[in-house]
Amino acid sequence: MTWHPHITVATVIEDNGRFLFVEELKNGKLVLNQPAGHLEPDETLREAAVRETLEETGWDVELTGVVGIYLYTAPSNGVTYQRVCFTARAVRHHPGRALDTGIVGAPWLTRDELAEQPERWRSHLVLECIDDYLAGPIHSLDVVRD
């Protein structure tokens, strides 16, 4: 078997102590995640983060920094994901825009509201990225070389 890690992006968006999340159906269960998804061919990491956020939440965002780079192996299927987590600010909402298949909504929650629902996290990275964002440092976008 050939091992192929999956490259993904995620975006932490904060507005007055609330964070933008994606509520999605995964294996018949509603889970919470950052706006996140896979890098597509001929796309930069930055482009992927902006695109995924719009597709999953209906929000245009401006990237402001990098929280970190994470390696995660899903216990359900053994697939390894490399996640590049960005920070962004919400710029414009498109409330009439259809969201990606499986996305139920895009709620804004506080860190504590998220922490109270561990059974709803898509993975432990959901809270870890928020906590790393809050603890800092946030790295310059210049660390990402497209």
Side-chain angles (χ1 to χ4, degrees):
M1 182 170 122
T2 304
W3 178 72
H4 296 287
H6 295 247
I7 299 172
T8 63
V9 294
T11 310
V12 172
I13 302 124
E14 180 189 13
D15 185 32
N16 294 316
R18 298 182 82 75
F19 296 90
L20 182 60
F21 292 98
V22 170
E23 188 175 39
E24 61 187 331
L25 278 171
K26 185 69 176 170
N27 299 324
K29 180 180 169 189
L30 279 178
V31 297
L32 294 167
N33 197 9
Q34 275 86 24
H38 292 264
L39 181 68
E40 294 184 355
D42 300 318
E43 184 176 51
T44 69
L45 291 166
R46 294 177 199 204
E47 290 167 345
V50 169
R51 175 187 52 76
E52 287 288 353
T53 302
L54 177 61
E55 290 176 354
E56 294 190 353
T57 69
W59 279 92
D60 288 322
V61 295
E62 177 186 346
L63 299 180
T64 57
V66 177
V67 176
I69 299 170
Y70 302 82
L71 200 59
Y72 172 73
T73 301
S76 62
N77 59 14
V79 173
T80 299
Y81 299 89
Q82 180 185 42
R83 173 189 261 210
V84 179
C85 186
F86 292 91
T87 59
R89 70 175 188 85
V91 175
R92 181 172 175 228
H93 189 222
H94 305 274
R97 181 183 172 90
L99 303 180
D100 271 357
T101 303
I103 305 293
V104 175
W108 291 85
L109 303 171
T110 65
R111 186 253 180 230
D112 291 342
E113 288 169 334
L114 175 69
E116 291 168 358
Q117 306 177 65
E119 71 284 355
R120 295 194 62 212
W121 304 343
R122 175 118 184 222
S123 79
H124 69 86
L125 290 179
V126 179
L127 183 62
E128 188 174 335
C129 287
I130 296 297
D131 285 345
D132 288 350
Y133 164 82
L134 291 170
I138 301 302
H139 306 282
S140 167
L141 287 170
D142 292 338
V143 301
V144 178
R145 308 284 187 180
D146 289 326

